[in-house]
Amino acid sequence: MDKSAQKILIVGGGIAGLTAAVALRQIGCEVEVVELNPQWSVYGVGIIQQGNALRALDRIGLAEKCIAAGHPMGGVRFYDREGTFLFEVPQPQIAGPRYPPGNGLTRSRLHAILQDAVRQSGATIRLGLTVATLAQSESEVSVTFSDGSFASYDLVVGADGLKSLVRRLIFGSEYQPTYVGQVCWRCNVPRLPDVTTGWLFEGGPYGKAGFIPLAPDLMYILLVETPPPGPPPRFPRECLPAAYRERLAPFGGPVALVRDRYISDESEVIYRPFETLLLPSPWYRGRVLLIGDAAHAMTAHVAQGAAMAIEDAIVLAEEVASGDPLPQALERFMQRRYERCKALVEISSQLSQWERDQTPDADVEGLTRRSFEIAATPI
């Protein structure tokens, strides 16, 4: 292995950063992770792991743990808003015969799996701080941290998400996430027995609803809403359950059942705007590289945001392990990642646009199938 990539700093302790830490430790790198949140906690309800995410996690020995903690899935079923079945888009079993086509699990369980793997890997973890300055030379990156401490590294990996500080430090303020005009409502509820894969309900005046299984006893209910033009609406936290029920009111069938039974004033509703970002290639400057949402954030329409972050981490470790000089390794990383991520960002954006415009002849089935095809190709 090229000694110029032996000592690596990862900024961000989320999905991208933790997966990268595990993968890089497995090839013998000295890895340090800094995370600004001193609790090292995670916000959200659940996550969909498509087959390509499971395939990537299998390379670092974590796919089986994710499946054991979640619920297997096998594609997406589409219904009208009263619950009448329309069509199904099956998902290929691309992670191999040992694994289901996809998996749903809670964000907290995935976070715990990744945290345990990082601890066991021997990586250094520092909480409650981030980078303050980055200064590069040909051979290293000199880092000043937010607590005033200082160190030098062979490579710095910015895995600090949509609002990435590392991106701003390296690329300036030109590249910012863009609100696409949609928001997503989510809430964990008991799983209905028949919900064994993703269900989407079309035709609601506010947007589409859906169910995603997360465990034998758990699923989440979602609503993708297109609010009026302008900034996304804001709600006091205590008002979220009532506002969510209001937006689900036009739905009948199983959505109405879940709405009336489980979304209460005390329920934990997660409300977020959809934002996108695609940083032009390359995602690095010198010895500083961005991965995950810091480089390519997308809407949830094809459930590939986390999968692309995980793939980034695996590919980065493979290229660092190649033994080539770091500039060559990073260039090959971009050759393997850019067009793939770009295609899925564009597909998710197109699906979002069709929903916002209520396009009558939108080929949702065809474009969803296309996203599965792209995901199935080797990385």
Side-chain angles (χ1 to χ4, degrees):
M1 190 195 315
D2 178 9
K3 291 184 179 179
S4 66
Q6 281 281 352
K7 185 179 180 183
I8 299 174
L9 172 68
I10 298 173
V11 183
I15 292 172
L18 297 184
T19 308
V22 175
L24 289 165
R25 282 294 298 143
Q26 289 183 354
I27 63 168
C29 293
E30 180 183 346
V31 176
E32 183 175 330
V33 180
V34 294
E35 166 56 43
L36 184 58
N37 178 2
Q39 283 77 43
W40 202 12
S41 55
V42 66
Y43 178 77
V45 288
I47 191 166
I48 301 170
Q49 295 180 313
Q50 307 282 30
N52 57 306
L54 297 175
R55 179 178 61 189
L57 287 166
D58 182 59
R59 297 193 188 185
I60 56 172
L62 296 181
E64 290 185 357
K65 291 183 179 180
C66 289
I67 292 166
H71 193 288
M73 296 175 56
V76 184
R77 295 174 62 87
F78 288 80
Y79 300 81
D80 67 18
R81 72 182 187 185
E82 295 300 325
T84 302
F85 176 75
L86 301 175
F87 60 89
E88 182 172 6
V89 181
Q91 187 176 0
Q93 198 169 355
I94 66 174
R98 291 190 298 130
Y99 299 123
N103 185 54
L105 79 167
T106 65
R107 281 193 171 269
S108 60
R109 290 175 183 171
L110 174 60
H111 193 57
I113 289 168
L114 293 175
Q115 285 177 317
D116 289 345
V118 171
R119 292 189 187 100
Q120 292 171 15
S121 77
T124 299
I125 304 156
R126 299 173 67 192
L127 302 178
L129 80 163
T130 186
V131 297
T133 66
L134 301 170
Q136 297 198 58
S137 69
E138 263 190 47
S139 61
E140 65 181 14
V141 186
S142 298
V143 180
T144 303
F145 293 97
S146 55
D147 65 354
S149 60
F150 172 87
S152 295
Y153 303 88
D154 303 321
L155 172 66
V156 172
V157 179
D160 50 343
L162 194 64
K163 312 294 186 183
S164 172
L165 172 60
V166 177
R167 184 179 66 236
R168 182 171 60 80
L169 291 174
I170 297 302
F171 292 92
S173 58
E174 177 183 358
Y175 302 106
Q176 298 292 333
T178 300
Y179 169 58
V180 302
Q182 286 189 306
V183 299
C184 190
W185 301 75
R186 297 181 178 96
C187 183
N188 283 350
V189 297
R191 184 180 68 86
L192 302 182
D194 292 340
V195 178
T196 58
T197 191
W199 289 17
L200 293 177
F201 301 85
E202 305 280 5
Y206 289 100
K208 69 180 179 185
F211 299 149
I212 302 295
L214 301 175
D217 60 345
L218 193 69
M219 68 179 190
Y220 71 77
I221 178 172
L222 66 91
L223 177 75
V224 176
E225 178 191 1
T226 302
R234 296 182 178 274
F235 301 88
R237 187 161 193 79
E238 64 273 13
C239 296
L240 288 175
Y244 194 11
R245 287 197 305 273
E246 177 186 349
R247 284 154 176 78
L248 292 173
F251 289 88
V255 174
L257 184 153
V258 172
R259 175 197 67 220
D260 296 340
R261 185 176 296 177
Y262 299 119
I263 301 180
S264 65
D265 290 338
E266 296 78 29
S267 63
E268 191 71 16
V269 175
I270 302 296
Y271 169 80
R272 280 181 172 171
F274 278 156
E275 297 178 285
T276 63
L277 171 82
L278 180 63
L279 191 70
S281 181
W283 301 332
Y284 65 90
R285 291 289 184 269
R287 292 175 170 270
V288 181
L289 169 73
L290 300 178
I291 65 172
D293 280 356
H296 50 78
M298 65 187 78
T299 69
H301 290 79
V302 294
Q304 282 291 338
M308 291 298 102
I310 292 167
E311 287 187 359
D312 283 352
I314 301 303
V315 171
L316 174 61
E318 289 177 353
E319 294 302 338
V320 168
S322 68
D324 290 331
L326 187 61
Q328 295 178 21
L330 294 181
E331 178 56 32
R332 280 201 310 272
F333 170 88
M334 289 308 309
Q335 291 171 2
R336 294 174 65 181
R337 298 307 299 153
Y338 183 73
E339 292 298 334
R340 180 177 178 86
C341 293
K342 178 175 180 286
L344 290 168
V345 168
E346 290 176 346
I347 287 175
S348 62
S349 295
Q350 180 63 77
L351 290 168
S352 173
Q353 184 71 57
W354 281 341
E355 289 178 358
R356 299 196 307 272
D357 296 343
Q358 298 184 353
T359 305
D361 58 348
D363 185 12
V364 175
E365 180 179 1
L367 204 54
T368 302
R369 289 181 184 274
R370 177 59 184 151
S371 75
F372 288 168
E373 292 168 1
I374 292 171
T377 60
I379 61 171

